[in-house]
Amino acid sequence: MVVMLTHDFVGYLLNKFINRFNLSTKGRRFTNLLKYSSISDKINKVKSGELSLKDNISELLSRIKANKHLNAFNFVFEVDSLKEAERIEVKIKSGTYRKLAGAVIAIKDVLSIKDKPTTCSSKILKDFKALYTATAVQKLIDEDAIIIGKTNCDEFAMGSSNENSAFGNVLNPVDNSRVPGGSSGGSAAAVAADLCDAALGTDTGGSIRQPAAFCGVYGFKPSYGRVSRYGLTAFASSFDCIGTFTKNIEDAALILEVISGKDNLDSTSYDSPVPEYSKNLSTKKKFRIGLPKEYLGEGLSEEIRNAIDSLAKELSSKSFEIIHISLPHTEYSIATYYILTTAEASSNLARYDGARYGYRSENSGTLIDMYKSSRSEGFGTEVKRRIMLGTYVLSAGYYDAYYLKAQKVRRLIKNDFDKAFEKVDLILTPTTPTTAFKIGEKSDDPLEMYLSDIYTTSANLAGIPGISFPYSKDSNGLPIGLQFLAKQFDELSLLQMSYYL
Ligand code: GLN
């Protein structure tokens, strides 16, 4: 206890020091108050006896308790993780350990883990326990990672503020009066508050990158197909991607190379060898960097615009070529995204009918009544809104006007990127138009909320990878995240550029 208090106190002083001298305003943000700087460093410290894995888990569990008000976790696996710590500590000491030995990872509650609850933060899946484990999670476990719990999120990953959760909203650890972003708000908050070493999230239209930006951590969304979606509860199947929240690039690279790769259980997973990202982070390559004018227009906060300008200047002074580009169909991305994802969601969510999974209403007479009342009582407002919108755009009279049209525009948006990547290696943009907003500020205005994804949805429409990295802070001390995008399956360039920064 004394050790923990002292440790927290040291962390507190360190943060004060960092804030006072503005040390964290560029590059790496010092979020890690634990005694190691990365997962590999942690393994070395356990190996040398400097760190006990069991103590480390106990410390994280106490930190989770002390930060209960953040509401970052839906479930914490206290007993299991302590047991795993003992087992893996022995493996590390005897030299038979694997890549992620002892890395403590939190999992967004839309990913299945056998015999554990998988609720998607929805009442309709209350009490549901998964029958199998998602491939991405299984790969972490196979590499000796420790799963500490399941994180809160917007219901079925629909939202940008984590205010649409049956478990209540999550607070931003940097400023508790603000949202952590969404939909993977719990994962972002858990990493930012040092409640775990890293977390998995999912990104259908920005749900990793936007909360990472709001909480001041690294959020990595791989290319569509890079990571198997088997065991991920589908929201919009042609958009959904599993990715990482980390405190540094080394950890992002390490976890990504573990979870990536072809999986026979997901026919959309990409069949090609996975590069060893973590061993290839250093490069002398001077990437050509595109600045798209459509991402720097009206609606972008001045402070974020200044951050982009300052990074572009800095890079150009280091002989990176900065090229002004245009992605002309950007203005249609939000509309296209919300037509296509709601269409896919309305179909994917048809399976929750009270008969097969989770919640069944007590108030049901006939079978149809049972469907109706289970869905009416089980789903929250935002999910219902999307099911209705999606059903509408797929209906016979409107299919051509909306759904088919949106599919064509999706292709145009992808073509914009293909063209741009003939001239540039990476595209630099803001991650979000503003820093973290106040809780309740946008919850009554869905359109306003949807606009907070304006810089992230295009990557999912095109299937390309993106990273949000913490760059600086605004005048309120809130993190500013910036985004790099790369062409499909060029995750390595994103990691190398961010590592260089
Ligand atoms: N905020 C976006 C939405 O509400 C993105 C969600 C996501 O990426 N899962 O659809």
Side-chain angles (χ1 to χ4, degrees):
M1 189 61 189
V2 174
V3 174
M4 254 207 66
L5 280 179
T6 321
H7 192 55
D8 274 0
F9 186 59
V10 171
Y12 165 74
L13 284 183
L14 210 59
N15 259 354
K16 266 205 111 154
F17 177 80
I18 287 165
N19 288 339
R20 165 77 178 75
F21 295 102
N22 219 13
L23 291 180
S24 65
T25 54
K26 275 197 190 128
R28 179 183 302 225
R29 180 171 169 256
F30 209 131
T31 57
N32 200 343
L33 305 181
L34 304 163
K35 302 169 194 95
Y36 43 89
S37 58
S38 66
I39 293 170
S40 327
D41 182 39
K42 179 176 188 179
I43 297 178
N44 287 334
K45 294 210 156 107
V46 175
K47 225 192 286 180
S48 69
E50 246 174 281
L51 181 76
S52 136
L53 211 46
K54 208 161 164 214
D55 288 354
N56 173 246
I57 297 280
S58 307
E59 177 172 353
L60 288 167
L61 291 170
S62 343
R63 289 186 63 83
I64 291 174
K65 277 193 193 123
N67 285 283
K68 220 169 165 33
H69 61 286
L70 297 178
N71 202 21
F73 282 87
N74 287 352
F75 306 97
V76 179
F77 308 143
E78 208 167 321
V79 179
D80 291 2
S81 49
L82 281 166
K83 242 202 260 157
E84 277 298 276
E86 258 177 68
R87 189 178 73 81
I88 289 164
E89 180 135 24
V90 173
K91 284 185 86 173
I92 296 180
K93 294 262 165 68
S94 65
T96 56
Y97 63 94
R98 302 190 58 94
K99 253 186 204 172
L100 294 176
V104 176
I105 303 186
I107 307 291
K108 184 178 182 181
D109 199 12
V110 291
L111 286 155
S112 291
I113 307 178
K114 191 173 184 321
D115 299 329
K116 300 280 188 226
T118 297
T119 70
C120 303
S121 293
S122 179
K123 184 175 166 192
I124 212 155
L125 282 174
K126 182 176 162 273
D127 303 328
F128 175 75
K129 289 212 167 108
L131 304 175
Y132 55 85
T133 299
T135 300
V137 179
Q138 190 58 52
K139 285 182 162 187
L140 297 178
I141 296 170
D142 292 345
E143 291 297 325
D144 288 341
I146 299 172
I147 308 302
I148 195 154
K150 302 200 75 181
T151 49
N152 199 344
C153 56
D154 283 303
E155 186 177 4
F156 287 103
M158 297 176 191
S160 311
S161 64
N162 218 127
E163 291 168 292
N164 306 329
S165 164
F167 288 77
N169 57 304
V170 176
L171 310 187
N172 188 319
V174 182
D175 173 346
N176 290 176
S177 69
R178 293 175 190 269
V179 304
S183 64
S184 316
S187 291
V191 173
D194 275 330
L195 311 183
C196 55
D197 296 328
L200 290 191
T202 59
D203 192 312
T204 303
S207 281
I208 290 177
R209 291 161 288 153
Q210 187 252 25
F214 278 10
C215 294
V217 296
Y218 292 87
F220 196 95
K221 172 225 175 287
S223 308
Y224 181 77
R226 183 48 102 186
V227 177
S228 164
R229 288 179 296 114
Y230 181 72
L232 159 63
T233 313
F235 159 13
S237 314
S238 76
F239 292 73
D240 297 339
C241 290
I242 299 172
T244 59
F245 289 92
T246 58
K247 301 170 199 180
N248 56 61
I249 290 298
E250 295 92 318
D251 291 353
L254 197 62
I255 298 173
L256 186 68
E257 79 191 27
V258 166
I259 62 176
S260 294
K262 174 74 186 160
D263 178 10
N264 290 335
L265 298 168
D266 172 7
S267 62
T268 61
S269 62
Y270 180 56
D271 194 2
S272 121
V274 178
E276 271 203 289
Y277 301 118
S278 64
K279 299 224 165 79
N280 290 289
L281 289 174
S282 287
T283 178
K284 297 220 156 53
K285 203 168 159 193
K286 292 290 178 194
F287 294 104
R288 295 165 302 164
I289 294 168
L291 272 186
K293 66 168 190 279
E294 293 80 3
Y295 283 64
L296 302 166
E298 215 184 304
L300 175 63
S301 100
E302 270 318 298
E303 289 184 287
I304 300 183
R305 188 192 312 277
N306 293 340
I308 288 270
D309 285 349
S310 111
L311 178 57
K313 260 196 215 120
E314 192 182 332
L315 288 172
S316 139
S317 76
K318 304 234 160 81
S319 342
F320 286 86
E321 199 183 340
I322 305 288
I323 303 170
H324 291 276
I325 59 167
S326 170
L327 297 165
H329 297 92
T330 302
E331 63 172 305
Y332 306 113
S333 60
I334 287 280
T336 309
Y337 169 84
Y338 277 96
I339 289 172
L340 295 177
T341 56
T342 54
E344 292 188 26
S346 70
S347 162
N348 277 325
L349 270 57
R351 71 191 68 174
Y352 306 102
D353 55 9
R356 284 174 282 194
Y357 303 91
Y359 180 78
R360 177 181 299 176
S361 169
E362 303 282 327
N363 314 314
S364 38
T366 66
L367 181 66
I368 299 292
D369 278 348
M370 194 274 285
Y371 290 159
K372 272 193 195 161
S373 39
S374 300
R375 287 168 69 82
S376 303
E377 292 160 27
F379 288 133
T381 312
E382 182 61 25
V383 173
K384 284 180 192 159
R385 182 171 13 247
R386 298 205 189 191
I387 292 174
M388 288 197 287
L389 191 56
T391 309
Y392 178 79
V393 301
L394 286 176
S395 60
Y398 296 100
Y399 183 90
D400 288 1
Y402 293 112
Y403 183 73
L404 214 59
K405 182 72 140 245
Q407 281 198 316
K408 290 181 182 162
V409 181
R410 183 180 196 177
R411 166 57 65 176
L412 295 176
I413 290 170
K414 174 156 187 344
N415 290 349
D416 283 355
F417 280 110
D418 289 347
K419 243 198 190 148
F421 285 124
E422 286 170 8
K423 280 192 289 202
V424 301
D425 304 302
L426 296 169
I427 294 175
L428 171 65
T429 79
T431 310
T432 53
T434 64
T435 49
F437 46 88
K438 291 264 184 200
I439 293 168
E441 193 180 320
K442 300 190 179 188
S443 46
D444 293 334
D445 187 348
L447 286 185
E448 191 50 36
M449 188 72 90
Y450 296 170
L451 282 174
S452 64
D453 304 320
I454 192 150
Y455 303 131
T456 49
T457 51
S458 304
N460 303 71
L461 285 158
I464 60 175
I467 184 170
S468 177
F469 57 97
Y471 180 69
S472 57
K473 285 185 181 168
D474 73 3
S475 43
N476 291 321
L478 300 169
I480 292 180
L482 301 182
Q483 171 176 247
F484 277 118
L485 301 172
K487 58 170 156 312
Q488 202 170 17
F489 304 119
D490 190 14
E491 280 78 7
L492 186 60
S493 296
L494 287 179
L495 292 164
Q496 287 175 329
M497 185 70 222
S498 318
Y499 184 70
Y500 170 84
L501 284 180

